[in-house]
Amino acid sequence: MRSTSALALLALAIAIAQGCGQGPESSQGSTQNPAASASLPTPNPATTPTRPWFEAVGPDSGLDFRHHIGTCGRFYLPEMESGGVGLIDYNRDGRLDVLCIDGGDLDPSQPRPPRHRLYRNDGSWRFTDVTEASGLRVSSGFGMGCTVGDCNRDGWPDLYITQYGGNRLFRNRGDGTFEEATQSAGVAVDSLSTSAAFVDYDTDGHLDLIVVNYVRWTPETERECFSSGGRRDYCSPLNYQAPAPPVLFHNRGDGTFDDVTREAGLLRAFGNGLGVATGDFDQDGRVDLFIANDAMANQLWLNRGGGRFQDDAPLRGCALNAVGVPRAGMGVVAVDLLQRGWLDLFVTHLVGEGNGLFLNEKGAFTDWLVPDGPMAGSQPHTGFGVEFADFDNDGRLDLYVANGRVKLGQRESDPTQPYAEPDSVKRGLGDGRFADVPFAGLSREDPGVGRGLAIGDLDNDGALDVLVIRRDAPIRVLRNRAAGSNHWIALRLEDAHGHETRNAVIRIEAGGKIFWRQHQPNQGYASSQDPRVHFGLGSATQVEHVWIRWPDGKAEDFGSLPPDEIHTIRQGRGTAAPGEFGW
């Protein structure tokens, strides 16, 4: 048993580092890393941007999606987690199109299916709703999120939509239309699914699929819960005592799948799953799976080869926070925060807990907390969608978190939006340090109930734009105005046959600096990001070297590339990468 005084000291350190949280959902956060905090200076206020980073794009652009959760007033659990967004060049014209995931209405007396929408990017910030013409129609269910990937290797990106009441796979025909292939492909999941990711875990060149499930829930098992103020409210997942296992599908090689969950070992640990991130976290040459669980221990499924996985999160230090307490994991990204060649894990959490970073120290993780780290100041908010990206192209990763409550507080600043919170944007200062960008980079604060977040270059100008699905509200579309004259480069990765690949690791050298990225657009919360890998280069006018370690372990040097362009990189067209980089 831990002593009360020790826990009190740890809680005090957390409050000082993250900012004091308010509200009834508060719980213990993570502990501070003294060595790291001692070596990092406090942020310089002069580095805070003096002009807005983003410009809001309105529905007159054609992106007029509005998310709905219904009006039955029963506080059904799926209503609180609904809402994802996917970036997909479905017609391969070089412009990112937008898929928006709706909720629907769970009222048993008058159920309404979700109205998911697909918007074609026509260029110049004009979009056309092509949902009906494309065949993306869903007649039942309650929408949660989506993921994007070419699962049958025909060169056209497909869509997998997670829902309560049956997930859906839509196969891209290549003529601007989709056909539903859920049953024929063998990827039906009838659960409360949230996030999903296409990942080639056995490196056979075919994208497999991991689907994360939240709670084994039905309207009949719904419970009556109340806020701390005594008002009817949404329940915690712990009220149901029904954690749901993930589902792992293996691609047979022809676009059809086998459910290998049991054989892979993923039934050994259950959780209330919300987010998923994939990557080679122990650098053994195999892609692993991390699942962020709500109010339960996270799972790090290490790939042992031969189609077998083992949950090593407790031993590796990323199951619980440093105090040994599970947090409410929502969204998660695998990111090399300190640019060392090791993938860290950043997880968004509930108000009072603060977002958390598990720093990867050669395969073992530390619950890392410093006064000016990416988690600082997050304690008053509940985070969902999350992504690191270099918005100002200065060569340092920035952070965007879509925030929104899941429980009522004792006080709300706006009674008409009791769950609304402002999003958070932080500017990267280097060495793991960050500074707040006021009003999430806008000219004024605009709170909402943020859920799914997707970041991508919608106008191909080299500056990354932002889309946020907000629960029961219009989509938030932000055009990037932060990049200025800084340089950039983006890479579109293909395997030796010209097909889509995942989880390649990229190392580039430009302007005397080294930058690391992983290629995996399926992460965050219930959303899919720009499939191209983006680097901000600052003032560098040339990329001296591009090295890529492909998912099959082969590493190549693609030499020098000019900046301010989108380059297509195909496996097998480079030269062997030097061994001194650990490859």
Side-chain angles (χ1 to χ4, degrees):
M1 175 179 264
R2 298 178 182 85
S3 71
T4 304
S5 59
L7 288 176
L9 288 172
L10 283 169
L12 178 61
I14 294 161
I16 293 172
Q18 288 192 312
C20 294
Q22 300 286 333
E25 301 155 326
S26 248
S27 68
Q28 285 285 1
S30 53
T31 188
Q32 185 168 336
N33 182 327
S37 63
S39 63
L40 296 178
T42 57
N44 182 352
T47 62
T48 301
T50 57
R51 60 185 177 84
W53 270 19
F54 301 108
E55 171 189 319
V57 177
D60 56 347
S61 67
L63 263 172
D64 57 358
F65 175 76
R66 181 184 179 93
H67 180 268
H68 296 87
I69 62 162
T71 57
C72 68
R74 293 285 301 277
F75 294 91
Y76 286 130
L77 180 67
E79 296 173 352
M80 187 45 70
E81 281 73 31
S82 171
V85 57
L87 295 177
I88 172 175
D89 184 7
Y90 82 98
N91 55 2
R92 298 201 322 187
D93 64 355
R95 293 187 291 261
L96 291 175
D97 311 300
V98 180
L99 174 70
C100 299
I101 300 301
D102 189 29
D105 196 329
L106 289 166
D107 187 345
S109 65
Q110 49 182 359
R112 179 184 70 78
R115 298 183 180 130
H116 311 315
R117 313 308 294 171
L118 177 65
Y119 294 89
R120 185 185 67 221
N121 187 341
D122 297 324
S124 302
W125 286 95
R126 304 299 304 172
F127 296 82
T128 299
D129 186 341
V130 295
T131 310
E132 295 303 318
S134 70
L136 282 174
R137 291 179 293 272
V138 173
S139 59
S140 63
F142 189 86
M144 301 300 288
C146 65
T147 192
V148 177
D150 180 7
C151 64
N152 59 348
R153 283 171 60 93
D154 64 353
W156 298 92
D158 308 304
L159 298 170
Y160 189 79
I161 296 175
T162 58
Q163 301 190 140
Y164 168 73
N167 299 345
R168 302 286 190 273
L169 172 67
F170 287 94
R171 187 166 287 149
N172 192 333
R173 290 193 179 107
D175 60 359
T177 67
F178 293 80
E179 62 179 345
E180 187 180 339
T182 315
Q183 297 297 332
S184 61
V187 289
V189 178
D190 190 7
S191 184
L192 177 47
S193 300
T194 50
S195 296
F198 284 107
V199 53
D200 183 8
Y201 71 82
D202 56 355
T203 65
D204 64 356
H206 303 282
L207 293 181
D208 311 301
L209 177 65
I210 174 72
V211 179
V212 174
N213 298 308
Y214 189 43
V215 172
R216 288 176 282 116
W217 179 91
T218 67
E220 293 71 32
T221 61
E222 185 56 85
R223 298 175 177 270
E224 192 172 71
C225 297
F226 298 88
S227 71
S228 60
R231 288 174 291 174
R232 181 73 191 276
D233 203 356
Y234 292 96
C235 294
S236 160
L238 297 181
N239 290 108
Y240 304 91
Q241 298 183 359
V247 179
L248 182 64
F249 292 104
H250 176 254
N251 193 328
R252 293 191 182 109
D254 58 1
T256 65
F257 296 78
D258 289 315
D259 182 343
V260 296
T261 310
R262 181 175 299 278
E263 297 90 325
L266 269 63
L267 291 181
R268 294 174 183 164
F270 284 28
N272 303 312
L274 286 177
V276 61
T278 66
D280 185 0
F281 298 110
D282 56 357
Q283 291 201 10
D284 65 350
R286 294 185 288 261
V287 178
D288 312 305
L289 315 171
F290 178 87
I291 296 176
N293 287 318
D294 186 359
M296 296 184 69
N298 302 317
Q299 297 154 4
L300 176 63
W301 295 104
L302 290 184
N303 189 337
R304 297 307 190 190
R308 303 290 297 177
F309 289 81
Q310 176 180 321
D311 179 20
D312 236 22
L315 294 177
R316 300 275 176 162
C318 54
L320 310 169
N321 69 8
V323 190
V325 176
R327 289 176 290 201
M330 312 296 192
V332 57
V333 291
V335 57
D336 185 354
L337 185 67
L338 300 182
Q339 300 292 278
R340 306 156 300 147
W342 288 87
L343 287 172
D344 311 305
L345 289 160
F346 186 83
V347 187
T348 54
H349 292 132
L350 196 69
V351 59
E353 295 179 341
N355 300 331
L357 175 73
F358 291 113
L359 189 71
N360 191 339
E361 299 177 297
K362 297 185 177 181
F365 292 87
T366 298
D367 187 5
W368 199 65
L369 180 61
V370 292
D372 48 6
M375 72 295 291
S378 60
Q379 206 170 17
H381 303 300
T382 293
F384 272 84
V386 56
E387 190 62 71
F388 285 87
D390 190 352
F391 293 116
D392 56 356
N393 283 342
D394 68 348
R396 295 184 285 263
L397 287 172
D398 311 304
L399 172 65
Y400 196 110
V401 179
N403 295 317
R405 293 184 183 185
V406 296
K407 296 282 288 183
L408 294 171
Q410 293 179 330
R411 299 182 304 276
E412 283 84 38
S413 57
D414 184 353
T416 65
Q417 296 189 85
Y419 298 96
E421 293 180 335
D423 291 345
S424 301
V425 175
K426 288 180 175 290
R427 182 184 184 186
L429 305 178
D431 299 323
R433 299 178 299 123
F434 289 80
D436 288 326
V437 177
F439 306 133
L442 293 164
S443 58
R444 62 181 179 84
E445 190 170 274
D446 180 21
V449 188
R451 291 298 180 256
L453 162 73
I455 291 174
D457 188 355
L458 292 176
D459 52 2
N460 290 336
D461 66 349
L464 295 173
D465 311 299
V466 177
L467 299 125
V468 181
I469 297 296
R470 300 177 130 189
R471 174 184 177 268
D472 218 26
I475 186 175
R476 181 181 228 187
V477 183
L478 303 181
R479 184 178 184 180
N480 189 331
R481 297 297 195 184
S485 60
N486 285 335
H487 297 287
W488 57 277
I489 193 171
L491 306 178
R492 184 187 295 112
L493 303 185
E494 299 177 347
D495 68 13
H497 304 286
H499 297 300
E500 182 181 13
T501 184
R502 292 288 164 88
N503 295 103
V505 176
I506 305 98
R507 179 189 191 272
I508 76 168
E509 187 174 316
K513 297 180 180 179
I514 294 173
F515 306 86
W516 295 85
R517 298 285 192 277
Q518 178 193 210
H519 176 226
Q520 175 49 282
N522 298 163
Q523 60 177 2
Y525 176 72
S527 298
S528 194
Q529 317 295 323
D530 191 333
R532 303 163 299 190
V533 186
H534 175 270
F535 297 82
L537 302 175
S539 60
T541 57
Q542 188 69 23
V543 176
E544 287 82 17
H545 275 287
V546 174
W547 294 281
I548 297 178
R549 185 177 70 227
W550 300 97
D552 61 6
K554 297 177 181 177
E556 292 181 284
D557 183 351
F558 288 88
S560 176
L561 293 175
D564 305 325
E565 295 181 24
I566 301 171
H567 298 270
T568 297
I569 305 292
R570 181 170 292 188
Q571 185 176 6
R573 295 186 176 179
T575 59
E580 60 264 28
F581 298 129
W583 293 354

